[in-house]
Amino acid sequence: MITLALAGKPNCGKSTFFKAATMANAEIANYPFTTINPNFGVAYVRTRCGCADLKVKCTHCVEGSRFVAVNLIDVAGLVPDAHKGKGLGNQFLDNLRQANAILHIIDASGGTDSEGNPVGVGNHDPDVDVTFLQFEMTMWVHGILNKHWSHLSRQSQGKGAAIQQGIADIFVGLGITVEDIRDVELKLKIDLVHASVEDLVPLCAEIVKISKPMLVVGNKYDETPETLRTKLSAQKVAFASAASELALRNAAAAHVIHYLPGDEQFRIENEGTLSPAQKAGLAKIAGVMKECKGTGVQQAINRAVFELLDMIVVYPVEDENHFCNKQGDVLPDAFLMRRGATPHDLAFQVHTDIGKGFLYAIDARTKMRIKETHELKDGDIIKIVSAAK
Ligand SMILES: Nc1nc2c(ncn2[C@@H]2O[C@H](COP(=O)(O)OP(=O)(O)OP(=O)(O)O)[C@@H](O)[C@H]2O)c(=O)[nH]1
Ligand SMILES: [Mg+2]
């Protein structure tokens, strides 16, 4: 399953975002380093369900929207110079290893300093927070490379290919391949054979970009002054109000409102049960959603999965005529797959044995046989025919 991590400076709203997205418990407080041990939970990407344009309807979507699970990790806050041991140090960068992509949460309201201490809205320039995480991660990777560098240089005996392979081996856990290192060497025009440790910083920045694509999310949009909204928009920051999302999810769970994560609006269901303060709170959230086109939480998760990671949703079925499994359950599964994936990749994702015994696949919408090498599209419904039982 895909894993997204929430990272950023302390007190910017990572745990609030986590709690809203997963409805799992997480401690939230207005001071730095509330979270020490990471929180793990399941969040969902939202997509139009594959059954939306079929005559048969499935029971796995909500009003035509399908929510597909992804892992979400909420890690401890990081401060500038964490790689040198500042704040709680760089041990938490290790928690980011398992993430496929990172939602870098910043406090767009400018109400907390670089260490996460409250300073009053607008008193800190969030511009400086936008790039710091990328830099800290670069220096973390650089620290790891540094440890191995003299050994690697000696062992490779001046052979570029051996150095490239050695670097790829060190970062195999980050999904880095020798081809990645070759591409980066060419792109940056660095000579790895004669490079000093300092020369390797740009290479480490590229390793971070390749292995941990990042979306910067400007949280606390509800408190963000107009000047900062404009400034951060220019930096392509995606906005969110995690606190609003959390309030809406709680209200929806209590049947006070009708709201699906990612909706641009909500509807009050049970006005009579609301106190004047609750009504005012919901009215404020409605205003924020109008400006932000929703609360931004679901939108950020979707962008991380569908844009940064370029994934598609594919529905495997056993009966291509009724779009269901053997029990008659319509579109029982929805799989996230990398764009470019083939029916054979899908077969392996269903089960290793199904993959090994793959014979051919059928596009359930057209009933046509498709080739093993055919590129799957978002929303495809596929029957795999395999020798495996
Ligand atoms: N106005 C506003 N406040 C928010 C929002 N999200 C979080 N907060 C507040 O920001 C403070 C910090 O929230 P947390 O979720 O604990 O922040 P964190 O990033 O997990 O903090 P650490 O675990 O200390 O790194 C709390 O007082 C939250 O209520 C938001 O969208 N809007
Ligand atoms: Mg936290």
PDB file of all heavy atoms in Angstrom, residues 263-299:
ATOM      1  N   ASP A 263     -15.486  17.298  -0.415  1.00  0.00           N
ATOM      2  CA  ASP A 263     -16.587  18.138  -0.903  1.00  0.00           C
ATOM      3  C   ASP A 263     -16.206  19.616  -0.738  1.00  0.00           C
ATOM      4  O   ASP A 263     -15.500  19.977   0.198  1.00  0.00           O
ATOM      5  CB  ASP A 263     -17.871  17.887  -0.089  1.00  0.00           C
ATOM      6  CG  ASP A 263     -18.588  16.605  -0.509  1.00  0.00           C
ATOM      7  OD1 ASP A 263     -18.175  16.002  -1.520  1.00  0.00           O
ATOM      8  OD2 ASP A 263     -19.560  16.235   0.180  1.00  0.00           O
ATOM      9  N   GLU A 264     -16.749  20.435  -1.646  1.00  0.00           N
ATOM     10  CA  GLU A 264     -16.461  21.865  -1.534  1.00  0.00           C
ATOM     11  C   GLU A 264     -17.411  22.559  -0.578  1.00  0.00           C
ATOM     12  O   GLU A 264     -17.196  23.704  -0.194  1.00  0.00           O
ATOM     13  CB  GLU A 264     -16.491  22.523  -2.915  1.00  0.00           C
ATOM     14  CG  GLU A 264     -15.337  22.047  -3.776  1.00  0.00           C
ATOM     15  CD  GLU A 264     -15.220  22.795  -5.085  1.00  0.00           C
ATOM     16  OE1 GLU A 264     -15.866  23.853  -5.237  1.00  0.00           O
ATOM     17  OE2 GLU A 264     -14.481  22.300  -5.949  1.00  0.00           O
ATOM     18  N   GLN A 265     -18.506  21.854  -0.224  1.00  0.00           N
ATOM     19  CA  GLN A 265     -19.499  22.417   0.700  1.00  0.00           C
ATOM     20  C   GLN A 265     -20.031  21.303   1.589  1.00  0.00           C
ATOM     21  O   GLN A 265     -19.867  20.137   1.263  1.00  0.00           O
ATOM     22  CB  GLN A 265     -20.703  22.947  -0.086  1.00  0.00           C
ATOM     23  CG  GLN A 265     -20.404  24.123  -0.955  1.00  0.00           C
ATOM     24  CD  GLN A 265     -21.582  24.437  -1.869  1.00  0.00           C
ATOM     25  OE1 GLN A 265     -22.615  23.774  -1.834  1.00  0.00           O
ATOM     26  NE2 GLN A 265     -21.414  25.444  -2.689  1.00  0.00           N
ATOM     27  N   PHE A 266     -20.702  21.691   2.665  1.00  0.00           N
ATOM     28  CA  PHE A 266     -21.415  20.699   3.470  1.00  0.00           C
ATOM     29  C   PHE A 266     -22.856  21.174   3.617  1.00  0.00           C
ATOM     30  O   PHE A 266     -23.167  22.330   3.275  1.00  0.00           O
ATOM     31  CB  PHE A 266     -20.744  20.526   4.851  1.00  0.00           C
ATOM     32  CG  PHE A 266     -20.697  21.795   5.658  1.00  0.00           C
ATOM     33  CD1 PHE A 266     -21.758  22.172   6.478  1.00  0.00           C
ATOM     34  CD2 PHE A 266     -19.589  22.641   5.589  1.00  0.00           C
ATOM     35  CE1 PHE A 266     -21.721  23.342   7.202  1.00  0.00           C
ATOM     36  CE2 PHE A 266     -19.550  23.824   6.311  1.00  0.00           C
ATOM     37  CZ  PHE A 266     -20.617  24.176   7.122  1.00  0.00           C
ATOM     38  N   ARG A 267     -23.713  20.271   4.093  1.00  0.00           N
ATOM     39  CA  ARG A 267     -25.124  20.639   4.271  1.00  0.00           C
ATOM     40  C   ARG A 267     -25.506  20.329   5.716  1.00  0.00           C
ATOM     41  O   ARG A 267     -25.221  19.234   6.219  1.00  0.00           O
ATOM     42  CB  ARG A 267     -25.953  19.774   3.311  1.00  0.00           C
ATOM     43  CG  ARG A 267     -27.367  20.194   3.136  1.00  0.00           C
ATOM     44  CD  ARG A 267     -28.088  19.329   2.104  1.00  0.00           C
ATOM     45  NE  ARG A 267     -28.237  17.950   2.525  1.00  0.00           N
ATOM     46  CZ  ARG A 267     -27.767  16.896   1.857  1.00  0.00           C
ATOM     47  NH1 ARG A 267     -27.109  17.055   0.725  1.00  0.00           N
ATOM     48  NH2 ARG A 267     -27.955  15.668   2.319  1.00  0.00           N
ATOM     49  N   ILE A 268     -26.131  21.295   6.374  1.00  0.00           N
ATOM     50  CA  ILE A 268     -26.557  21.037   7.754  1.00  0.00           C
ATOM     51  C   ILE A 268     -27.802  20.156   7.718  1.00  0.00           C
ATOM     52  O   ILE A 268     -28.761  20.433   6.993  1.00  0.00           O
ATOM     53  CB  ILE A 268     -26.818  22.358   8.510  1.00  0.00           C
ATOM     54  CG1 ILE A 268     -25.491  23.124   8.648  1.00  0.00           C
ATOM     55  CG2 ILE A 268     -27.441  22.089   9.885  1.00  0.00           C
ATOM     56  CD1 ILE A 268     -25.567  24.443   9.364  1.00  0.00           C
ATOM     57  N   GLU A 269     -27.778  19.056   8.458  1.00  0.00           N
ATOM     58  CA  GLU A 269     -28.864  18.072   8.444  1.00  0.00           C
ATOM     59  C   GLU A 269     -29.845  18.318   9.572  1.00  0.00           C
ATOM     60  O   GLU A 269     -31.024  18.080   9.453  1.00  0.00           O
ATOM     61  CB  GLU A 269     -28.296  16.654   8.638  1.00  0.00           C
ATOM     62  CG  GLU A 269     -27.340  16.226   7.571  1.00  0.00           C
ATOM     63  CD  GLU A 269     -28.042  15.491   6.434  1.00  0.00           C
ATOM     64  OE1 GLU A 269     -28.711  16.154   5.601  1.00  0.00           O
ATOM     65  OE2 GLU A 269     -27.908  14.274   6.397  1.00  0.00           O
ATOM     66  N   ASN A 270     -29.269  18.758  10.699  1.00  0.00           N
ATOM     67  CA  ASN A 270     -30.033  18.750  11.928  1.00  0.00           C
ATOM     68  C   ASN A 270     -29.852  20.069  12.667  1.00  0.00           C
ATOM     69  O   ASN A 270     -29.242  20.114  13.735  1.00  0.00           O
ATOM     70  CB  ASN A 270     -29.467  17.588  12.772  1.00  0.00           C
ATOM     71  CG  ASN A 270     -30.576  16.877  13.473  1.00  0.00           C
ATOM     72  OD1 ASN A 270     -31.635  17.476  13.704  1.00  0.00           O
ATOM     73  ND2 ASN A 270     -30.336  15.633  13.846  1.00  0.00           N
ATOM     74  N   GLU A 271     -30.368  21.133  12.054  1.00  0.00           N
ATOM     75  CA  GLU A 271     -30.094  22.478  12.565  1.00  0.00           C
ATOM     76  C   GLU A 271     -30.551  22.652  14.016  1.00  0.00           C
ATOM     77  O   GLU A 271     -29.889  23.322  14.817  1.00  0.00           O
ATOM     78  CB  GLU A 271     -30.785  23.512  11.669  1.00  0.00           C
ATOM     79  CG  GLU A 271     -30.348  24.911  11.975  1.00  0.00           C
ATOM     80  CD  GLU A 271     -30.117  25.756  10.724  1.00  0.00           C
ATOM     81  OE1 GLU A 271     -30.524  25.336   9.632  1.00  0.00           O
ATOM     82  OE2 GLU A 271     -29.526  26.841  10.886  1.00  0.00           O
ATOM     83  N   GLY A 272     -31.655  22.001  14.365  1.00  0.00           N
ATOM     84  CA  GLY A 272     -32.244  22.153  15.696  1.00  0.00           C
ATOM     85  C   GLY A 272     -31.309  21.744  16.827  1.00  0.00           C
ATOM     86  O   GLY A 272     -31.413  22.259  17.947  1.00  0.00           O
ATOM     87  N   THR A 273     -30.386  20.821  16.527  1.00  0.00           N
ATOM     88  CA  THR A 273     -29.514  20.316  17.591  1.00  0.00           C
ATOM     89  C   THR A 273     -28.291  21.210  17.801  1.00  0.00           C
ATOM     90  O   THR A 273     -27.493  20.967  18.705  1.00  0.00           O
ATOM     91  CB  THR A 273     -28.998  18.897  17.251  1.00  0.00           C
ATOM     92  OG1 THR A 273     -28.270  18.991  16.029  1.00  0.00           O
ATOM     93  CG2 THR A 273     -30.120  17.896  17.099  1.00  0.00           C
ATOM     94  N   LEU A 274     -28.153  22.250  16.960  1.00  0.00           N
ATOM     95  CA  LEU A 274     -26.927  23.068  17.029  1.00  0.00           C
ATOM     96  C   LEU A 274     -27.068  24.254  17.983  1.00  0.00           C
ATOM     97  O   LEU A 274     -28.094  24.945  17.975  1.00  0.00           O
ATOM     98  CB  LEU A 274     -26.581  23.608  15.636  1.00  0.00           C
ATOM     99  CG  LEU A 274     -26.097  22.589  14.603  1.00  0.00           C
ATOM    100  CD1 LEU A 274     -25.946  23.255  13.242  1.00  0.00           C
ATOM    101  CD2 LEU A 274     -24.779  21.986  15.048  1.00  0.00           C
ATOM    102  N   SER A 275     -26.025  24.491  18.757  1.00  0.00           N
ATOM    103  CA  SER A 275     -26.007  25.679  19.616  1.00  0.00           C
ATOM    104  C   SER A 275     -25.616  26.879  18.743  1.00  0.00           C
ATOM    105  O   SER A 275     -25.037  26.692  17.661  1.00  0.00           O
ATOM    106  CB  SER A 275     -24.973  25.493  20.731  1.00  0.00           C
ATOM    107  OG  SER A 275     -23.684  25.496  20.160  1.00  0.00           O
ATOM    108  N   PRO A 276     -25.881  28.126  19.200  1.00  0.00           N
ATOM    109  CA  PRO A 276     -25.469  29.289  18.410  1.00  0.00           C
ATOM    110  C   PRO A 276     -23.961  29.275  18.123  1.00  0.00           C
ATOM    111  O   PRO A 276     -23.527  29.625  17.025  1.00  0.00           O
ATOM    112  CB  PRO A 276     -25.845  30.473  19.307  1.00  0.00           C
ATOM    113  CG  PRO A 276     -26.934  29.952  20.191  1.00  0.00           C
ATOM    114  CD  PRO A 276     -26.661  28.504  20.400  1.00  0.00           C
ATOM    115  N   ALA A 277     -23.159  28.809  19.100  1.00  0.00           N
ATOM    116  CA  ALA A 277     -21.700  28.782  18.892  1.00  0.00           C
ATOM    117  C   ALA A 277     -21.342  27.783  17.795  1.00  0.00           C
ATOM    118  O   ALA A 277     -20.482  28.060  16.943  1.00  0.00           O
ATOM    119  CB  ALA A 277     -21.003  28.402  20.195  1.00  0.00           C
ATOM    120  N   GLN A 278     -22.026  26.626  17.794  1.00  0.00           N
ATOM    121  CA  GLN A 278     -21.752  25.625  16.748  1.00  0.00           C
ATOM    122  C   GLN A 278     -22.151  26.159  15.376  1.00  0.00           C
ATOM    123  O   GLN A 278     -21.448  25.952  14.390  1.00  0.00           O
ATOM    124  CB  GLN A 278     -22.516  24.325  17.047  1.00  0.00           C
ATOM    125  CG  GLN A 278     -21.878  23.520  18.172  1.00  0.00           C
ATOM    126  CD  GLN A 278     -22.765  22.367  18.600  1.00  0.00           C
ATOM    127  OE1 GLN A 278     -23.997  22.505  18.708  1.00  0.00           O
ATOM    128  NE2 GLN A 278     -22.145  21.227  18.867  1.00  0.00           N
ATOM    129  N   LYS A 279     -23.299  26.860  15.339  1.00  0.00           N
ATOM    130  CA  LYS A 279     -23.760  27.438  14.063  1.00  0.00           C
ATOM    131  C   LYS A 279     -22.732  28.434  13.533  1.00  0.00           C
ATOM    132  O   LYS A 279     -22.402  28.445  12.346  1.00  0.00           O
ATOM    133  CB  LYS A 279     -25.103  28.154  14.262  1.00  0.00           C
ATOM    134  CG  LYS A 279     -26.278  27.225  14.123  1.00  0.00           C
ATOM    135  CD  LYS A 279     -27.580  28.025  14.138  1.00  0.00           C
ATOM    136  CE  LYS A 279     -28.718  27.122  14.577  1.00  0.00           C
ATOM    137  NZ  LYS A 279     -29.900  27.807  15.011  1.00  0.00           N
ATOM    138  N   ALA A 280     -22.232  29.265  14.466  1.00  0.00           N
ATOM    139  CA  ALA A 280     -21.239  30.276  14.056  1.00  0.00           C
ATOM    140  C   ALA A 280     -19.957  29.590  13.572  1.00  0.00           C
ATOM    141  O   ALA A 280     -19.354  30.007  12.571  1.00  0.00           O
ATOM    142  CB  ALA A 280     -20.933  31.213  15.227  1.00  0.00           C
ATOM    143  N   GLY A 281     -19.553  28.517  14.264  1.00  0.00           N
ATOM    144  CA  GLY A 281     -18.351  27.774  13.875  1.00  0.00           C
ATOM    145  C   GLY A 281     -18.505  27.194  12.476  1.00  0.00           C
ATOM    146  O   GLY A 281     -17.596  27.309  11.640  1.00  0.00           O
ATOM    147  N   LEU A 282     -19.670  26.609  12.204  1.00  0.00           N
ATOM    148  CA  LEU A 282     -19.893  26.016  10.877  1.00  0.00           C
ATOM    149  C   LEU A 282     -19.956  27.098   9.793  1.00  0.00           C
ATOM    150  O   LEU A 282     -19.474  26.898   8.682  1.00  0.00           O
ATOM    151  CB  LEU A 282     -21.177  25.181  10.880  1.00  0.00           C
ATOM    152  CG  LEU A 282     -21.077  23.827  11.594  1.00  0.00           C
ATOM    153  CD1 LEU A 282     -22.446  23.161  11.686  1.00  0.00           C
ATOM    154  CD2 LEU A 282     -20.085  22.898  10.896  1.00  0.00           C
ATOM    155  N   ALA A 283     -20.528  28.252  10.152  1.00  0.00           N
ATOM    156  CA  ALA A 283     -20.616  29.346   9.172  1.00  0.00           C
ATOM    157  C   ALA A 283     -19.204  29.819   8.809  1.00  0.00           C
ATOM    158  O   ALA A 283     -18.900  30.097   7.644  1.00  0.00           O
ATOM    159  CB  ALA A 283     -21.435  30.497   9.739  1.00  0.00           C
ATOM    160  N   LYS A 284     -18.316  29.855   9.797  1.00  0.00           N
ATOM    161  CA  LYS A 284     -16.933  30.284   9.545  1.00  0.00           C
ATOM    162  C   LYS A 284     -16.243  29.275   8.611  1.00  0.00           C
ATOM    163  O   LYS A 284     -15.564  29.648   7.655  1.00  0.00           O
ATOM    164  CB  LYS A 284     -16.184  30.405  10.873  1.00  0.00           C
ATOM    165  CG  LYS A 284     -14.820  31.031  10.699  1.00  0.00           C
ATOM    166  CD  LYS A 284     -14.061  31.208  11.988  1.00  0.00           C
ATOM    167  CE  LYS A 284     -12.604  31.512  11.638  1.00  0.00           C
ATOM    168  NZ  LYS A 284     -11.659  31.004  12.567  1.00  0.00           N
ATOM    169  N   ILE A 285     -16.478  27.997   8.904  1.00  0.00           N
ATOM    170  CA  ILE A 285     -15.857  26.952   8.066  1.00  0.00           C
ATOM    171  C   ILE A 285     -16.390  27.045   6.630  1.00  0.00           C
ATOM    172  O   ILE A 285     -15.630  26.921   5.671  1.00  0.00           O
ATOM    173  CB  ILE A 285     -16.114  25.548   8.666  1.00  0.00           C
ATOM    174  CG1 ILE A 285     -15.350  25.412   9.989  1.00  0.00           C
ATOM    175  CG2 ILE A 285     -15.697  24.446   7.701  1.00  0.00           C
ATOM    176  CD1 ILE A 285     -15.617  24.135  10.754  1.00  0.00           C
ATOM    177  N   ALA A 286     -17.694  27.304   6.512  1.00  0.00           N
ATOM    178  CA  ALA A 286     -18.282  27.424   5.165  1.00  0.00           C
ATOM    179  C   ALA A 286     -17.594  28.542   4.383  1.00  0.00           C
ATOM    180  O   ALA A 286     -17.318  28.402   3.185  1.00  0.00           O
ATOM    181  CB  ALA A 286     -19.784  27.689   5.274  1.00  0.00           C
ATOM    182  N   GLY A 287     -17.278  29.643   5.081  1.00  0.00           N
ATOM    183  CA  GLY A 287     -16.585  30.766   4.436  1.00  0.00           C
ATOM    184  C   GLY A 287     -15.193  30.371   3.978  1.00  0.00           C
ATOM    185  O   GLY A 287     -14.768  30.693   2.855  1.00  0.00           O
ATOM    186  N   VAL A 288     -14.483  29.639   4.836  1.00  0.00           N
ATOM    187  CA  VAL A 288     -13.113  29.184   4.494  1.00  0.00           C
ATOM    188  C   VAL A 288     -13.172  28.261   3.272  1.00  0.00           C
ATOM    189  O   VAL A 288     -12.366  28.385   2.336  1.00  0.00           O
ATOM    190  CB  VAL A 288     -12.486  28.432   5.697  1.00  0.00           C
ATOM    191  CG1 VAL A 288     -11.191  27.730   5.307  1.00  0.00           C
ATOM    192  CG2 VAL A 288     -12.247  29.382   6.858  1.00  0.00           C
ATOM    193  N   MET A 289     -14.165  27.361   3.277  1.00  0.00           N
ATOM    194  CA  MET A 289     -14.260  26.400   2.177  1.00  0.00           C
ATOM    195  C   MET A 289     -14.570  27.087   0.852  1.00  0.00           C
ATOM    196  O   MET A 289     -14.136  26.628  -0.211  1.00  0.00           O
ATOM    197  CB  MET A 289     -15.352  25.367   2.483  1.00  0.00           C
ATOM    198  CG  MET A 289     -14.968  24.444   3.613  1.00  0.00           C
ATOM    199  SD  MET A 289     -16.327  23.403   4.096  1.00  0.00           S
ATOM    200  CE  MET A 289     -16.224  22.091   2.886  1.00  0.00           C
ATOM    201  N   LYS A 290     -15.304  28.159   0.928  1.00  0.00           N
ATOM    202  CA  LYS A 290     -15.647  28.895  -0.292  1.00  0.00           C
ATOM    203  C   LYS A 290     -14.375  29.461  -0.927  1.00  0.00           C
ATOM    204  O   LYS A 290     -14.162  29.386  -2.134  1.00  0.00           O
ATOM    205  CB  LYS A 290     -16.613  30.028   0.068  1.00  0.00           C
ATOM    206  CG  LYS A 290     -17.505  30.411  -1.056  1.00  0.00           C
ATOM    207  CD  LYS A 290     -18.617  31.295  -0.574  1.00  0.00           C
ATOM    208  CE  LYS A 290     -19.338  31.877  -1.762  1.00  0.00           C
ATOM    209  NZ  LYS A 290     -20.235  32.934  -1.373  1.00  0.00           N
ATOM    210  N   GLU A 291     -13.501  29.992  -0.068  1.00  0.00           N
ATOM    211  CA  GLU A 291     -12.266  30.603  -0.586  1.00  0.00           C
ATOM    212  C   GLU A 291     -11.254  29.553  -1.009  1.00  0.00           C
ATOM    213  O   GLU A 291     -10.455  29.776  -1.913  1.00  0.00           O
ATOM    214  CB  GLU A 291     -11.643  31.487   0.496  1.00  0.00           C
ATOM    215  CG  GLU A 291     -12.464  32.735   0.786  1.00  0.00           C
ATOM    216  CD  GLU A 291     -12.004  33.403   2.067  1.00  0.00           C
ATOM    217  OE1 GLU A 291     -10.804  33.620   2.222  1.00  0.00           O
ATOM    218  OE2 GLU A 291     -12.859  33.675   2.934  1.00  0.00           O
ATOM    219  N   CYS A 292     -11.234  28.417  -0.296  1.00  0.00           N
ATOM    220  CA  CYS A 292     -10.196  27.399  -0.505  1.00  0.00           C
ATOM    221  C   CYS A 292     -10.701  26.243  -1.392  1.00  0.00           C
ATOM    222  O   CYS A 292      -9.975  25.329  -1.689  1.00  0.00           O
ATOM    223  CB  CYS A 292      -9.780  26.875   0.876  1.00  0.00           C
ATOM    224  SG  CYS A 292      -8.254  25.974   0.957  1.00  0.00           S
ATOM    225  N   LYS A 293     -11.979  26.318  -1.813  1.00  0.00           N
ATOM    226  CA  LYS A 293     -12.627  25.234  -2.577  1.00  0.00           C
ATOM    227  C   LYS A 293     -12.576  23.911  -1.810  1.00  0.00           C
ATOM    228  O   LYS A 293     -12.085  22.887  -2.300  1.00  0.00           O
ATOM    229  CB  LYS A 293     -12.000  25.071  -3.954  1.00  0.00           C
ATOM    230  CG  LYS A 293     -12.214  26.266  -4.863  1.00  0.00           C
ATOM    231  CD  LYS A 293     -11.982  25.882  -6.309  1.00  0.00           C
ATOM    232  CE  LYS A 293     -12.514  26.903  -7.285  1.00  0.00           C
ATOM    233  NZ  LYS A 293     -11.919  28.225  -7.139  1.00  0.00           N
ATOM    234  N   GLY A 294     -13.054  23.969  -0.588  1.00  0.00           N
ATOM    235  CA  GLY A 294     -13.006  22.804   0.304  1.00  0.00           C
ATOM    236  C   GLY A 294     -12.058  23.101   1.446  1.00  0.00           C
ATOM    237  O   GLY A 294     -11.569  24.231   1.564  1.00  0.00           O
ATOM    238  N   THR A 295     -11.767  22.091   2.274  1.00  0.00           N
ATOM    239  CA  THR A 295     -10.831  22.357   3.380  1.00  0.00           C
ATOM    240  C   THR A 295      -9.386  22.118   2.958  1.00  0.00           C
ATOM    241  O   THR A 295      -8.467  22.441   3.695  1.00  0.00           O
ATOM    242  CB  THR A 295     -11.097  21.435   4.587  1.00  0.00           C
ATOM    243  OG1 THR A 295     -10.715  20.101   4.230  1.00  0.00           O
ATOM    244  CG2 THR A 295     -12.546  21.467   5.028  1.00  0.00           C
ATOM    245  N   GLY A 296      -9.187  21.488   1.804  1.00  0.00           N
ATOM    246  CA  GLY A 296      -7.835  21.276   1.294  1.00  0.00           C
ATOM    247  C   GLY A 296      -7.180  19.983   1.766  1.00  0.00           C
ATOM    248  O   GLY A 296      -6.145  19.591   1.234  1.00  0.00           O
ATOM    249  N   VAL A 297      -7.786  19.298   2.746  1.00  0.00           N
ATOM    250  CA  VAL A 297      -7.137  18.086   3.280  1.00  0.00           C
ATOM    251  C   VAL A 297      -7.217  16.936   2.269  1.00  0.00           C
ATOM    252  O   VAL A 297      -6.195  16.370   1.876  1.00  0.00           O
ATOM    253  CB  VAL A 297      -7.755  17.697   4.645  1.00  0.00           C
ATOM    254  CG1 VAL A 297      -7.311  16.318   5.084  1.00  0.00           C
ATOM    255  CG2 VAL A 297      -7.372  18.742   5.689  1.00  0.00           C
ATOM    256  N   GLN A 298      -8.431  16.628   1.828  1.00  0.00           N
ATOM    257  CA  GLN A 298      -8.588  15.559   0.832  1.00  0.00           C
ATOM    258  C   GLN A 298      -7.864  15.926  -0.466  1.00  0.00           C
ATOM    259  O   GLN A 298      -7.238  15.077  -1.107  1.00  0.00           O
ATOM    260  CB  GLN A 298     -10.088  15.335   0.552  1.00  0.00           C
ATOM    261  CG  GLN A 298     -10.370  14.175  -0.386  1.00  0.00           C
ATOM    262  CD  GLN A 298      -9.975  12.852   0.233  1.00  0.00           C
ATOM    263  OE1 GLN A 298     -10.483  12.460   1.266  1.00  0.00           O
ATOM    264  NE2 GLN A 298      -9.036  12.152  -0.382  1.00  0.00           N
ATOM    265  N   GLN A 299      -7.930  17.210  -0.810  1.00  0.00           N
ATOM    266  CA  GLN A 299      -7.305  17.663  -2.047  1.00  0.00           C
ATOM    267  C   GLN A 299      -5.793  17.421  -2.003  1.00  0.00           C
ATOM    268  O   GLN A 299      -5.179  17.033  -3.002  1.00  0.00           O
ATOM    269  CB  GLN A 299      -7.586  19.163  -2.271  1.00  0.00           C
ATOM    270  CG  GLN A 299      -9.029  19.500  -2.655  1.00  0.00           C
ATOM    271  CD  GLN A 299     -10.017  19.539  -1.471  1.00  0.00           C
ATOM    272  OE1 GLN A 299      -9.698  19.188  -0.343  1.00  0.00           O
ATOM    273  NE2 GLN A 299     -11.239  19.958  -1.749  1.00  0.00           N
TER     274      GLN A 299
END
